[in-house]
């Protein structure tokens, strides 16, 4: 199947708020531009609960999502099934438009299935992309991951 595998695409600088939801925790991060003298404005991120934001992790998460590609698309009827399931993780990006990414755990523990506001079909992310996005989301939400024997 020769198909564009891009499921999310945006310009990082256009994003003004990032909302992360996972395991009952929700946080919204807002971009704040600071202009000093004649220099290019720098962007810092503030969380809605006042906790410090790891700018590097948030920037890395946006980079991972900016040109997100799936490993493969799911058959059309599986999207309906996914839409009925509660997302394992949900990411909402607001800027020049609103982008929503819902990640859903399925029977395949290695990778996550997903639904994107930019794509009409359900898809499966690679294990690398799944792990990368979840690890950064957990860090930003302050979710501590239990170390398993395989790590």
């Amino acid at each position: 199947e020769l198909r564009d595998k891009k499921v999310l695409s945006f310009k990082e600088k256009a994003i003004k708020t990032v909302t992360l939801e996972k395991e009952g925790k929700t946080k919204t991060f807002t971009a704040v531009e600071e202009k000093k003298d004649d220099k290019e404005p720098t962007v810092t991120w503030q969380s809605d609960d006042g906790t410090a934001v790891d700018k590097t992790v948030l920037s890395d998460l946006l980079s991972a999502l900016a040109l997100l590609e799936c490993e493969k698309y799911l058959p059309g009827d599986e999207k309906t099934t996914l839409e009925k399931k509660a997302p394992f993780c949900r990411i909402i990006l607001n800027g020049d438009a609103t982008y929503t990414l819902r990640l859903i755990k399925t029977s395949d523990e290695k990778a996550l299935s997903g639904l994107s506001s930019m794509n009409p079909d359900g898809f499966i992310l690679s294990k690398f992309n799944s792990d990368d996005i979840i690890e950064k989301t957990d860090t930003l939400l302050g979710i501590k991951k239990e170390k398993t024997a395989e790590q």
Side-chain angles (χ1 to χ4, degrees):
E1 179 180 350
L2 290 174
R3 221 179 132 180
D4 183 5
K5 295 201 172 174
K6 198 175 290 164
V7 292
L8 198 57
S9 174
F10 57 87
K11 289 189 176 12
E12 289 177 56
K13 287 185 176 179
I15 301 301
K16 301 299 176 211
T17 65
V18 177
T19 302
L20 304 175
E21 299 173 5
K22 183 172 178 270
E23 294 179 15
K25 292 187 175 194
T26 302
K27 266 192 190 179
T28 299
F29 304 96
T30 306
V32 179
E33 278 193 3
E34 293 177 357
K35 192 157 173 59
K36 292 183 183 156
D37 304 323
D38 294 336
K39 296 182 182 132
E40 190 73 22
T42 57
V43 173
T44 57
W45 290 90
Q46 293 181 341
S47 68
D48 56 357
D49 63 1
T51 56
V53 179
D54 188 328
K55 185 180 172 182
T56 306
V57 175
L58 189 57
S59 178
D60 289 350
L61 177 63
L62 286 174
S63 294
L65 297 171
L67 294 168
L68 186 64
E69 292 191 349
C70 67
E71 191 162 276
K72 66 181 180 186
Y73 285 102
L74 294 168
D77 56 338
E78 286 194 37
K79 179 181 182 186
T80 311
T81 309
L82 283 182
E83 287 174 331
K84 293 176 185 165
K85 291 186 175 185
F88 170 63
C89 173
R90 192 163 82 138
I91 300 171
I92 303 163
L93 308 169
N94 285 301
D96 52 358
T98 298
Y99 308 96
T100 304
L101 179 68
R102 294 176 61 205
L103 300 176
I104 298 121
K105 275 190 174 178
T106 55
S107 55
D108 178 4
E109 286 298 312
K110 292 179 179 64
L112 295 169
S113 294
L115 296 168
S116 164
S117 58
M118 287 190 71
N119 199 300
D121 299 309
F123 53 86
I124 295 177
L125 289 178
S126 68
K127 177 167 175 23
F128 174 81
N129 281 341
S130 297
D131 290 349
D132 188 42
I133 291 167
I134 294 303
E135 182 183 315
K136 289 172 177 50
T137 299
D138 284 353
T139 300
L140 290 165
L141 287 174
I143 296 170
K144 303 280 186 274
K145 191 172 173 205
E146 297 297 318
K147 293 279 183 213
T148 59
E150 350 176 311
Q151 291 177 323

